[in-house]
Amino acid sequence: MDSTTRPPEQPTGSAPTGTDLPEPEAGELSAQPVVPGRSSFRHMMELLDMIKFEHTVFALPFAFLGALGAAQGIPPLRTILWILAAMVGARTAAMTFNRLVDVDVDAENPRTAGRALPAGRVSRAGAMLLMGAGIVVFGLAAGALGPLTWALSPLALVIILGYSLCKRFTSWAHVVLGLSLSGAPLGAWIAVSGRIEAPALWLSGGVLAWTAGFDILYSLQDQAYDRDKGLHSMPVWLGTGGALALSRAFHLLALAAWAMFNVHMGSHLISWAGWATVAVMLAKEQWLVRGGDLSRIDQAFFTLNSLVGLVFFLGHVLEWWLSRSLLAPV
């Protein structure tokens, strides 16, 4: 399960990632060289800042919704904690791998030269150690969550790590990113139920389409750079107009998939209200970038995309809580 989005910055030569969320511009980071004797704590803080560790919560609502749906209620605390550990481990490994494979390209770009690795504030060895720790945590969590999650964990790692290389050979990297994030709700559902079931597939399919849709929008920022460097993306392949149309199509597919999830879950008013709110948010996101205008891309992400999962999750949680409160014996 992974939670791995493209930062609103100049292109890095790498595929946008769901873990690669917006970060300060290079001018906001002091690109100081590694200082001998620097504390281990400072080094760790730089590593965590490098991967934007705080953005691990990006896909958490969908993972918890998968667990809630499979359990038809609140899963055991042990399961919730292992799901959280799996997501933290997977995202840490994927994001660190992305920084490692892109370090040379990042160093050549003025907007990304201030990142921790190319600027020398963290070592390659430290980054590799962090990536290894993420893989170990993910593996332990997958094993603790059940035999099926353990069996699927190698495939999950191939997807979330391999994504960082996709833009070098395919314009469908956005869909691979979506596939990476879609593992969060699917893996959580499997962790609770031990099975792959239809509602989980609809929920995960929606995450895939939603992620691909907004990642295409972010990749518009790098359209000229990617074309110049021979990198692949939908904007390079289809042009701005075609990429915008495809992004809208993906978001419509996401809404359709989440509607099917609601149907399978027997949702009522509150869950559907959450779905409708998400629909409005995605419509506004598309409106903000209409015609390829990226001047409000930060607003599209921070005020809308980052809340999509939370709104959808809260709709289901509130409905579940009210249904049990109203039906509880007096």
Side-chain angles (χ1 to χ4, degrees):
M1 298 177 293
D2 179 37
S3 112
T4 76
T5 68
R6 183 182 202 86
E9 60 183 20
Q10 292 297 322
T12 67
S14 68
T17 90
T19 56
D20 197 9
L21 300 184
E23 60 181 272
E25 296 185 7
E28 299 173 8
L29 291 171
S30 58
Q32 299 296 328
V34 175
V35 178
R38 178 187 51 202
S39 71
S40 298
F41 176 78
R42 175 63 179 171
H43 192 215
M44 178 56 66
M45 291 300 99
E46 290 282 6
L47 283 169
L48 295 180
D49 180 70
M50 177 187 72
I51 64 170
K52 298 302 168 191
F53 182 78
E54 67 274 16
H55 290 142
T56 302
V57 300
F58 185 73
L60 272 177
F62 287 109
F64 289 151
L65 181 54
L68 179 77
Q72 289 293 288
I74 305 299
L77 178 60
R78 172 188 178 278
T79 301
I80 294 175
L81 292 177
W82 278 120
I83 289 172
L84 178 60
M87 292 195 61
V88 170
R91 185 192 180 279
T92 298
M95 190 63 202
T96 309
F97 181 73
N98 180 270
R99 293 302 195 222
L100 283 166
V101 299
D102 284 348
V103 63
D104 294 336
V105 178
D106 287 347
E108 296 174 357
N109 191 315
R111 283 284 296 256
T112 58
R115 284 178 171 176
L117 264 177
R121 295 195 306 278
V122 301
S123 66
R124 186 182 294 265
M128 293 182 68
L129 183 62
L130 181 64
M131 182 181 71
I135 292 174
V136 169
V137 170
F138 174 70
L140 289 173
L145 287 169
L148 186 53
T149 52
W150 171 250
L152 292 174
S153 60
L155 176 60
L157 281 175
V158 168
I159 293 171
I160 64 177
L161 297 180
Y163 163 72
S164 292
L165 305 173
C166 285
K167 197 175 183 182
R168 289 159 173 78
F169 59 86
T170 177
S171 298
W172 294 93
H174 319 284
V175 176
V176 181
L177 173 60
L179 186 63
S180 298
L181 266 68
S182 72
L186 181 60
W189 187 288
I190 294 171
V192 172
S193 71
R195 301 183 300 275
I196 299 175
E197 299 176 296
L201 294 175
W202 286 116
L203 180 60
S204 298
V207 172
L208 190 160
W210 165 61
T211 303
F214 71 68
D215 194 57
I216 289 172
L217 298 181
Y218 284 115
S219 68
L220 285 167
Q221 300 172 105
D222 296 343
Q223 184 177 6
Y225 181 88
D226 289 347
R227 183 181 293 111
D228 181 61
K229 295 297 184 180
L231 299 171
H232 301 272
S233 71
M234 286 300 174
V236 170
W237 181 27
L238 301 175
T240 299
L244 286 171
L246 184 60
S247 174
R248 293 172 191 138
F250 273 125
H251 280 171
L252 288 173
L253 284 174
L255 290 172
W258 289 333
M260 289 301 300
F261 172 75
N262 278 3
V263 170
H264 277 273
M265 296 304 297
S267 297
H268 298 292
L269 179 61
I270 300 177
S271 292
W272 281 107
W275 178 92
T277 303
V278 166
V280 171
M281 293 165 67
L282 293 182
K284 184 174 181 181
E285 177 181 343
Q286 293 290 340
W287 175 256
L288 288 173
V289 296
R290 64 193 182 280
D293 177 10
L294 302 181
S295 63
R296 291 178 288 183
I297 195 70
D298 286 356
Q299 181 183 355
F301 177 80
F302 285 113
T303 62
L304 296 173
N305 255 338
S306 61
L307 296 176
V308 165
L310 182 62
V311 168
F312 198 49
F313 170 71
L314 289 178
H316 281 271
V317 168
L318 186 57
E319 181 171 295
W320 173 83
W321 179 75
L322 287 176
S323 66
R324 278 145 187 79
S325 298
L326 294 175
L327 295 176
V330 180

